[in-house]
């Protein structure tokens, strides 16, 4: 494997695509038909999956990279960027996805981890990676490994936004603290966050992550999208919330499209309650969902990742 | 002089920063009525299909009027929106720039690149991200930048467009050229 990311050119191209996705909605899809609906609704990108997180949660079993054939069908169906997930640490799945030509890889806790200690060395790839994080330290460890976009983990597949909120608040607050500390205090912070000192210093200086910071994990309504964006997220991922009625049944495609459109509007006009009211008005109930407070830690997806 | 940056979706913040660096007063435009208060508009990179949907019918019509009356500069997705013919797939445009443009003409993200091109014959860095290509340039359209043999930035009257992202480089010449265009028509 060559180190494509060692130079700043590669890094700039990778974060460059993330810049283009800002203010947008990235939607999980499991087939070409859903991808077309997502694109028609105004998605900036789609995430090609075998099963959405709610299904993975309900059905159990080992969740792996989607079949290349399915991803290829989705790539052929739409003109917007296509992302796909690989398991944490599964660099061979990532190599296959790069070979396939996907536009972004999500090294995701939603799939069953393949390595209990190491994440993928993302510098070794030409394709950009997004990774989940619950706090600043985790975000910076992923960036050190070469991630070019961070998203909150939230608790995927629940339709409950509570942990997406918790994680974005945590990251934003930890960054804010760094900006008021003295230079000499940053060394201890690097240790506390378990993150490289250079990246801690960069955040202290800029007050923000060196890569775009998006939100994911339980976003199910236009109001949810607005909430995480008002808290500092620059774009949103919506997983099970669009195409699922509950954990095992798909929503009516027309309803899904309507909800998708409403969330797209909400991501742009997140500061405008008038628009938010308008787009929320004639939506029927969002996915039934699963309250995160009722899930014991062993069944949480967000604890995967190191 | 107030410059609007269309902020429906995309890298509008990178444009805002660059224009402010150059001394312009910038407003982020999310509503059609905001177009009335600006002297020039930048349409950023992003997903052109998404931006079209976010414009809606009213926004599209208002923007169509605006780009015919005031200076406008589009990069990447913005260039696609300004064109009068869009391919791969076919898509409606504002029709103010007499060019045919092909979306994702270089390929997917793995084909994104940073290259050196020429702006009015001087070398300049160009960042191409899932970039489009001008396939036909109408007679009234002036080519202001090239990369290899390809035209990558053009001007027709008060409208400028680039298939690359000057907002992602540190070089300020392209944005300055647009501000000069706005000043000249102000």
């Amino acid at each position: 494997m060559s180190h494509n990311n060692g130079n700043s050119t590669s890094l700039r191209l990778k974060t460059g695509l993330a810049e283009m996705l800002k203010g947008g909605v990235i939607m999980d899809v499991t087939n070409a038909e859903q991808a077309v609906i997502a694109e028609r609704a105004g998605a900036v990108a789609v995430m090609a999956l075998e099963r959405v997180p709610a299904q993975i949660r309900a059905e159990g079993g080992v969740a792996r990279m989607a079949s290349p054939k399915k991803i290829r069908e989705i790539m052929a169906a739409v003109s917007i960027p296509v992302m796909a997930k690989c398991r944490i640490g599964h660099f061979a799945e990532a190599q296959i996805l790069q070979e396939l030509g996907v536009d972004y890889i999500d090294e995701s806790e939603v799939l069953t981890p393949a390595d209990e200690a190491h994440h993928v060395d993302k510098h070794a790839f030409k394709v950009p990676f997004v990774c989940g994080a619950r706090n600043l330290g985790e975000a910076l460890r992923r960036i050190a490994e070469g991630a070019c976009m961070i998203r909150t983990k939230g608790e995927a597949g629940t339709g409950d936004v509570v942990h997406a909120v918790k994680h974005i608040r945590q990251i934003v607050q930890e960054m804010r603290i760094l900006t008021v500390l003295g230079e000499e205090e940053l060394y201890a912070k690097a240790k506390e966050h378990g993150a490289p000192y250079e990246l801690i210093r960069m955040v202290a200086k800029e007050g923000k992550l060196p890569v775009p910071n998006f939100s994911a994990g339980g976003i199910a309504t236009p109001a949810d999208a607005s909430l995480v964006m008002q808290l500092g997220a620059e774009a949103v991922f919506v997983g099970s919330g669009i195409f699922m009625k509950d954990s095992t049944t798909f929503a009516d495609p027309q309803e899904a499209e309507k909800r998708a459109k409403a969330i797209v509007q909400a991501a742009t006009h997140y500061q405008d309650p008038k628009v938010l009211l308008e787009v929320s008005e004639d939506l029927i109930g969002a996915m039934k969902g699963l309250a995160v407070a009722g899930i014991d830690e062993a069944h949480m997806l967000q604890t995967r990742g190191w | 002089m107030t410059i609007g940056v269309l902020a429906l979706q995309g890298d509008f913040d990178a444009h805002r920063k660059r224009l402010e660096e150059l001394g312009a007063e910038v407003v982020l435009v999310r509503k059609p009525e905001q177009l009335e208060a600006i002297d020039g508009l930048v349409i950023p990179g992003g997903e052109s299909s998404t931006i079209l949907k976010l414009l809606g019918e009213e926004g599209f019509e208002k923007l169509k009027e605006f780009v015919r009356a005031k200076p406008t500069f589009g990069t990447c997705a913005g260039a696609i929106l300004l064109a009068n013919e869009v391919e791969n797939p076919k898509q409606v445009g504002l029709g103010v720039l007499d060019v045919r443009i092909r979306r994702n003409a270089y390929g997917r993200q793995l084909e994104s690149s940073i290259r050196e091109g020429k702006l009015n014959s001087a070398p300049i860095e160009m960042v191409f991200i899932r970039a489009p290509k001008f396939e036909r340039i109408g007679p009234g359209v002036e080519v202001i930048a090239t990369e290899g043999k390809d035209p990558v930035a053009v001007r027709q009257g008060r409208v400028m467009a680039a298939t690359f992202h000057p907002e992602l480089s540190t070089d300020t010449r392209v944005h300055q050229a647009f501000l000069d265009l706005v000043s000249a028509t102000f």
Side-chain angles (χ1 to χ4, degrees):
Chain A
M1 271 191 279
S2 66
H3 270 242
N4 287 304
N5 209 7
N7 60 54
S8 66
T9 298
S10 174
L11 208 62
R12 287 174 64 200
L13 289 170
K14 290 170 171 180
T15 51
L17 180 55
E19 291 288 333
M20 300 308 145
L21 303 176
K22 282 185 178 176
V25 182
I26 300 147
M27 302 181 193
D28 279 0
V29 298
T30 57
N31 55 46
E33 189 194 343
Q34 288 180 350
V36 170
I37 292 174
E39 183 177 49
R40 201 161 59 211
V44 284
V46 291
M47 178 75 70
L49 287 165
E50 201 74 44
R51 298 181 288 171
V52 296
Q55 292 171 293
I56 293 173
R57 193 179 273 290
E59 292 165 15
V62 176
R64 308 181 178 90
M65 168 186 86
S67 93
K69 187 170 174 233
K70 177 160 273 181
I71 299 170
R72 211 187 276 282
E73 281 168 12
I74 290 167
M75 285 164 68
V78 294
S79 66
I80 53 178
V82 175
M83 304 184 175
K85 289 183 195 287
C86 76
R87 286 180 261 176
I88 288 173
H90 207 315
F91 55 85
E93 282 187 349
Q95 288 163 350
I96 293 168
L97 292 173
Q98 173 166 279
E99 190 60 33
L100 186 56
V102 300
D103 297 290
Y104 239 96
I105 295 178
D106 183 0
E107 186 186 17
S108 178
E109 70 282 2
V110 165
L111 304 185
T112 311
D115 192 316
E116 292 181 334
H118 307 98
H119 281 250
V120 172
D121 170 14
K122 293 163 277 286
H123 291 292
F125 289 81
K126 197 177 173 202
V127 63
F129 278 75
V130 51
C131 287
R134 288 175 300 169
N135 52 51
L136 182 61
E138 199 172 3
L140 296 181
R141 286 194 293 280
R142 297 296 85 81
I143 293 168
E145 293 156 1
C148 288
M149 180 201 297
I150 292 297
R151 55 166 177 78
T152 57
K153 284 180 168 172
E155 189 55 31
T158 60
D160 186 348
V161 78
V162 66
H163 279 193
V165 168
K166 182 179 173 184
H167 299 159
I168 194 84
R169 276 201 186 274
Q170 178 87 16
I171 292 171
V172 169
Q173 187 195 66
E174 286 172 341
M175 291 197 292
R176 207 176 285 151
I177 290 171
L178 291 184
T179 63
V180 297
L181 294 181
E183 286 261 333
E184 76 286 0
E185 293 171 302
L186 296 178
Y187 298 100
K189 278 287 171 191
K191 189 178 162 194
E192 180 189 319
H193 289 303
Y197 168 73
E198 282 308 320
L199 288 175
I200 289 281
R201 234 183 86 151
M202 208 182 273
V203 172
K205 192 167 161 245
E206 304 291 335
K208 58 200 269 307
L209 294 180
V211 303
N213 188 10
F214 292 6
S215 185
I219 295 160
T221 67
D224 289 348
S226 165
L227 178 63
V228 293
M229 291 191 69
Q230 290 193 55
L231 289 172
E234 296 173 298
V236 295
F237 286 79
V238 183
S240 318
I242 288 178
F243 290 105
M244 299 308 286
K245 189 172 165 211
D246 55 46
S247 303
T248 46
T249 28
F250 283 113
D252 169 62
Q254 278 178 339
E255 282 303 326
E257 183 163 349
K258 217 154 112 186
R259 186 157 40 242
K261 277 184 182 161
I263 297 176
V264 167
Q265 290 288 338
T268 293
H269 300 288
Y270 67 96
Q271 292 165 307
D272 189 338
K274 206 173 148 200
V275 176
L276 296 170
L277 168 62
E278 208 178 287
V279 301
S280 303
E281 198 118 39
D282 57 340
L283 290 182
I284 59 160
M287 73 180 280
K288 179 165 174 260
L290 193 64
V292 174
I295 305 173
D296 59 54
E297 191 153 336
H299 291 98
M300 285 196 179
L301 302 175
Q302 61 181 267
T303 53
R304 299 162 164 184
W306 348 107
Chain B
M1 202 165 79
T2 306
I3 307 292
V5 178
L6 192 67
L8 297 175
Q9 189 276 315
D11 73 336
F12 50 84
D13 210 45
H15 278 288
R16 177 188 62 78
K17 276 187 204 137
R18 171 59 40 78
L19 292 163
E20 283 176 353
E21 258 169 54
L22 293 172
E25 193 183 315
V26 181
V27 290
L28 296 180
V29 175
R30 291 194 170 96
K31 291 283 183 67
E33 56 269 24
Q34 289 176 285
L35 291 171
E36 288 156 25
I38 57 173
D39 306 302
L41 178 73
V42 172
I43 307 179
E47 281 305 316
S48 61
S49 59
T50 301
I51 297 173
L52 265 180
K53 264 135 218 157
L54 285 161
L55 277 169
E57 263 173 56
E58 192 204 344
F60 187 77
E61 290 308 316
K62 281 267 171 67
L63 189 56
K64 224 167 156 178
E65 277 170 40
F66 180 92
V67 298
R68 281 165 176 75
K70 298 259 180 82
T72 306
F73 173 36
T75 63
C76 198
I80 294 167
L81 289 171
L82 290 166
N84 63 7
E85 207 184 334
V86 181
E87 295 284 346
N88 191 33
K90 286 199 186 302
Q91 191 171 287
V92 293
L94 296 162
V96 75
L97 197 58
D98 185 18
V99 296
R100 181 170 70 233
I101 195 164
R102 172 171 293 272
R103 292 180 62 200
N104 302 325
Y106 297 82
R108 310 190 70 95
Q109 171 64 7
L110 289 172
E111 268 63 59
S112 290
S113 64
I114 299 180
R115 306 167 194 220
E116 189 181 284
K118 291 221 161 80
L119 173 69
N120 298 323
S121 71
I124 185 168
E125 179 196 84
M126 296 172 173
V127 181
F128 294 93
I129 309 247
R130 285 175 50 100
K133 261 190 191 179
F134 295 118
E135 288 190 327
R136 181 185 64 79
I137 302 280
V141 180
E142 178 195 357
V143 174
I144 54 175
T146 52
E147 190 281 312
K149 287 191 184 119
D150 297 327
V152 291
V154 298
R155 197 186 88 136
Q156 182 175 14
R158 286 183 287 259
V159 177
M160 261 175 72
T163 58
F164 60 100
H165 295 279
E167 72 278 14
L168 297 183
S169 293
T170 50
D171 198 299
T172 59
R173 281 174 288 169
V174 180
H175 284 83
Q176 189 59 58
F178 177 62
L179 290 178
D180 293 345
L181 184 66
V182 180
S183 301
T185 45
F186 189 50

